[in-house]
Amino acid sequence: MHLPAPYSDELEPLTSNHPDTPPPAGASRREFLGKFSLASLTAAIGAEIVFAEKMPAGLIPAAFAQEAAPMGVPGKEGLTFLNDRPVLAEAPAHVLDDDITPGKHLFIRNNGHAPAPETLKPENWKLEIAGESCGKPATFTLGELKEQFEHHSYQMVLECAGNGRSEFNPPTHGTQWTTGAVGCPKWTGVRLRDVLKRCGLQENAVYIGYYGADIHLSGDVKKTSISRGAPLRKALEDETLLAFAMNGEDIPWMNGHPLRLVFGGWPASTCGKWLKKIVVRDREHDGEKMTGDSYRMPRHPVAPGTKVPAEEMDIIGSMPVKSLVTFPQSGISQPVAQALTLRGHAWAGEHEVTAVHVSIDFGATWQQTTLAKPVNRYAWQRWQTQVRLPQKGYYEVWARATDDQGRSQPMVLPGWNPKGYLNNTCHRIAVQAV
Ligand SMILES: Nc1nc2c(c(=O)[nH]1)N[C@H]1C(S)=C(S)[C@@H](COP(=O)(O)O)O[C@H]1N2
Ligand SMILES: [Mo]
């Protein structure tokens, strides 16, 4: 499936030098294959090509075609697939009703091609710690990480900074997420802090960056699809994990098995999947998608459609206050005047949610809901309540969360920004009273 430009990918449009794209008319097959070394094809397939020397120049490996149809990923259920190269899939709100998001319902946001499952063997996995501000660079096997460092588990929200992008007007380039690029599984791993302390931090260390094993969309192994990170203070938090398990099981393939980085309350783009290397930096990390307008917001509000210079943008840190109505499913019918249970989750980046209100009259009046405490910092919080719909007809249920700083979700779109980040408008569902 090839979707039109704004639906494809944040920064990397699907171009003709993509391995699954046929050679452009007129270009020789040799020219086409010339762009892809055998090594990059092998890496993308995840296995040695036995009769490589017999492979016709320009042949597009059938292994790539297997990915194309049907849309779907083994182990995933109930997700809406927005794209297949790279794989992008989000969860409809009602699919996120569980307190702890099961692996099958966790969204997928790939910037490149996921490494082939055969290349992700935990017993062969290694993590390198390096960078100019690392005291004693070292490599750990996954086994050593598990044996030598204490294990910790936290339930933490994972949300793409572009979640909600599809509503911005004028539209912004990137994955057109509706509301489902979010989930809150329970992560288990070792603390990044413990591992960094073992390797020693030089005094000038200020930032960390990650590198994963995924393959650039072009197939070029020298290119990196994404390499982001976070300031050292964030990297040293209790909850910042090198996670090797999710919900007590292996992390799903598309979500970073066998090792991923997890930060609490920050854009999910900081949480490197298929983690191979961490670099300790003496400056803000400058990897792929750290610079320019990637994951940055204008320092001051701008009129929709404005071009904002990079120096007037700041890197996104804590995510904003937000909520979802996960029950009932939007579109249901409900008998007039009967109690209708409503529930969902609310979260607020590095902050706690202090209240969730619902409205059935387009925001004219609001009713407070019962709100649970988070099981730990950075976990989402369950809210629930009941309403009665007074007469037959169409209603919308709106939910609005407020954080411990007194900030509430806007009822209309928040500030437009060039990349369409941080849309935390109130979630709405449709209900018909019959
Ligand atoms: N190695 C690697 N890590 C990555 C990405 C990626 O493409 N490659 N995507 C990032 C982005 S933009 C998001 S939103 C999250 C998505 O995590 P998920 O696919 O497990 O939901 O992973 C982040 N970590
Ligand atoms: Mo993302």
Side-chain angles (χ1 to χ4, degrees), residues 80-389:
T80 307
F81 282 79
L82 303 179
N83 198 27
D84 62 347
R85 293 188 179 91
V87 177
L88 302 169
E90 67 173 325
H94 68 277
V95 165
L96 293 173
D97 193 40
D98 298 273
D99 285 346
I100 300 178
T101 310
K104 63 185 177 188
H105 295 331
L106 186 61
F107 76 102
I108 303 169
R109 196 297 185 231
N110 289 348
N111 286 264
H113 294 292
E118 308 80 64
T119 64
L120 301 174
K121 297 227 163 69
E123 58 275 21
N124 299 335
W125 202 258
K126 288 189 184 128
L127 174 70
E128 185 188 350
I129 311 283
E132 65 273 0
S133 296
C134 175
K136 252 190 331 174
T139 299
F140 299 90
T141 65
L142 182 51
E144 287 166 342
L145 287 177
K146 288 184 182 175
E147 280 156 29
Q148 298 177 14
F149 300 94
E150 218 177 287
H151 297 189
H152 298 272
S153 296
Y154 301 99
Q155 198 192 334
M156 287 190 276
V157 171
L158 185 76
E159 183 178 21
C160 179
N163 196 19
R165 177 179 289 128
S166 63
E167 287 185 85
F168 281 110
N169 202 3
T172 55
H173 183 66
T175 311
Q176 298 299 298
W177 302 116
T178 65
T179 58
V182 64
C184 191
K186 186 173 175 179
W187 306 95
T188 299
V190 300
R191 286 186 173 137
L192 177 60
R193 181 177 67 213
D194 293 347
V195 178
L196 291 181
K197 291 253 153 98
R198 173 81 65 87
C199 298
L201 293 169
Q202 291 185 13
E203 255 172 28
N204 62 0
V206 293
Y207 224 90
I208 69 104
Y210 70 76
Y211 291 90
D214 41 341
I215 297 140
H216 192 269
L217 288 179
S218 67
D220 184 341
V221 287
K222 288 190 242 41
K223 288 190 177 163
T224 307
S225 54
I226 187 167
S227 170
R228 302 199 67 240
L232 195 61
R233 74 135 187 104
K234 189 71 189 162
L236 298 181
E237 280 187 352
D238 284 0
E239 294 87 351
T240 301
L241 297 181
L242 297 169
F244 45 75
M246 204 182 91
N247 302 336
E249 297 170 350
D250 282 351
I251 296 172
W253 167 39
M254 285 285 172
N255 303 108
H257 175 73
L259 189 67
R260 97 174 282 175
L261 184 57
V262 186
F263 288 101
W266 276 45
S269 55
T270 58
C271 306
K273 304 193 280 188
W274 313 292
L275 188 67
K276 292 301 294 175
K277 186 175 179 179
I278 296 274
V279 285
V280 184
R281 305 296 317 263
D282 65 0
R283 68 200 73 178
E284 195 171 275
H285 183 53
D286 48 8
E288 197 60 35
K289 303 202 173 170
M290 279 300 297
T291 54
D293 54 10
S294 292
Y295 301 100
R296 287 174 191 247
M297 288 287 280
R299 199 161 302 139
H300 308 291
V302 299
T306 308
K307 275 211 164 65
V308 186
E311 58 278 11
E312 282 169 34
M313 310 251 270
D314 291 324
I315 295 179
I316 300 168
S318 176
M319 295 286 283
V321 62
K322 217 159 157 176
S323 60
L324 276 180
V325 182
T326 59
F327 185 89
Q329 179 171 356
S330 187
I332 60 136
S333 294
Q334 161 75 12
V336 169
Q338 240 180 50
L340 169 64
T341 295
L342 302 174
R343 63 172 180 261
H345 312 286
W347 62 98
E350 291 186 325
H351 293 276
E352 195 171 314
V353 177
T354 49
V356 175
H357 291 82
V358 294
S359 175
I360 55 166
D361 54 13
F362 302 100
T365 62
W366 294 87
Q367 163 182 330
Q368 186 150 7
T369 71
T370 306
L371 177 69
K373 284 290 210 186
V375 292
N376 54 250
R377 188 162 71 145
Y378 304 148
W380 64 17
Q381 298 166 241
R382 169 67 80 188
W383 64 263
Q384 61 184 345
T385 194
Q386 289 191 332
V387 293
R388 286 170 206 276
L389 305 177

